[in-house]
Amino acid sequence: MPRRGLVAGPEFECFQRRYFTPEEVARHNQPEDLWVSYLGYVYDLTPLAQEYKGSLLLKPIVEVAGQDISHWFDPNTRDIRKHIDPLTGCLRYRTPRGRFVHVPPHLPRSDWANDFGKPWWKGSQYEVGKLSAKTRSIRIINTLTSQQHILEVGALESMWEILHRYLPYNAHAASYTWKYEGKNLNMDHTLEENGIRDEEEEFDYLNMDGTHYIPAILLYFNDDLTEL
């Protein structure tokens, strides 16, 4: 027996989002819930923060919780930026906020343990997805209840990913047919691929407020009561 009723699509109980917006990353700004983004990807550093809880080496990371820290990194090597230490003349990591977790001390120290394996920024164990370089707003209207919601979504997200964002407002979202201008949407495609153009640049060129026109997707109930 199909678990998702009349609508085909991914199994949302184990659905993995690909993209996160900067606004979503910014919500995770506490030591007990600590996300950062850099070089186009989003990382959940909460386990790292818990492991080094109370350490002064965690302070520079906590200070940038919820922010993009791409400026810390060399985009070519994806390693922390380096510079010549004026005191030792050696090549060292550049850490203007102070040395942080897994960065070696400037001078040899007997109390520094380097048995942690890969530094946290060189592995993928904390990666949760990609950072949306471009976001846009979309209006979703439930024709059954007349309720509508405006969501900020990534420009490269598929309609299934947008549906996943919409679930907190409607647990039966997959039991609806999604349409734009009378045409069924291909849920594997993006908004742009479905003909829903992002006209923000045109509004800016015309010096008009684009928030006055947000494309609307209409949801038509299929009467199967699927709940995700």
Side-chain angles (χ1 to χ4, degrees), residues 18-176:
R18 294 182 302 160
Y19 293 96
F20 296 86
T21 67
E23 191 272 335
E24 286 179 298
V25 177
R27 296 176 197 161
H28 303 271
N29 56 11
Q30 301 297 323
E32 60 275 8
D33 181 20
L34 199 164
W35 287 22
V36 296
S37 63
Y38 58 88
L39 302 180
Y41 287 83
V42 177
Y43 299 85
D44 179 1
L45 300 185
T46 307
L48 183 76
Q50 294 302 311
E51 181 180 354
Y52 288 89
K53 186 176 181 180
S55 172
L56 286 177
L57 295 178
L58 190 64
K59 184 173 180 290
I61 297 176
V62 172
E63 289 176 345
V64 296
Q67 302 177 34
D68 186 82
I69 56 172
S70 295
H71 58 284
W72 286 16
F73 297 87
D74 183 331
N76 297 317
T77 64
R78 302 189 69 85
D79 198 2
I80 302 293
R81 292 182 182 274
K82 297 179 179 178
H83 72 128
I84 301 296
D85 189 321
L87 296 178
T88 64
C90 297
L91 190 64
R92 299 292 184 186
Y93 284 124
R94 183 176 179 273
T95 55
R97 286 181 175 267
R99 189 166 71 92
F100 51 82
V101 174
H102 295 172
V103 171
H106 289 180
L107 298 173
R109 290 176 55 171
S110 60
D111 61 346
W112 185 65
N114 59 357
D115 56 353
F116 48 77
K118 281 187 177 181
W120 60 263
W121 61 88
K122 287 190 175 181
S124 59
Q125 69 269 32
Y126 301 115
E127 182 183 317
V128 294
K130 297 180 179 179
L131 183 69
S132 294
K134 172 93 171 110
T135 63
R136 56 183 299 191
S137 295
I138 192 73
R139 189 189 310 274
I140 299 179
I141 301 175
N142 185 333
T143 59
L144 180 66
T145 64
S146 297
Q147 293 179 324
Q148 57 179 292
H149 299 87
I150 297 177
L151 305 182
E152 182 187 24
V153 303
L156 297 179
E157 292 182 25
S158 71
M159 295 306 306
W160 285 123
E161 290 172 299
I162 294 174
L163 187 154
H164 185 269
R165 288 184 179 277
Y166 179 63
L167 286 178
Y169 306 103
N170 184 350
H172 300 284
S175 295
Y176 289 72

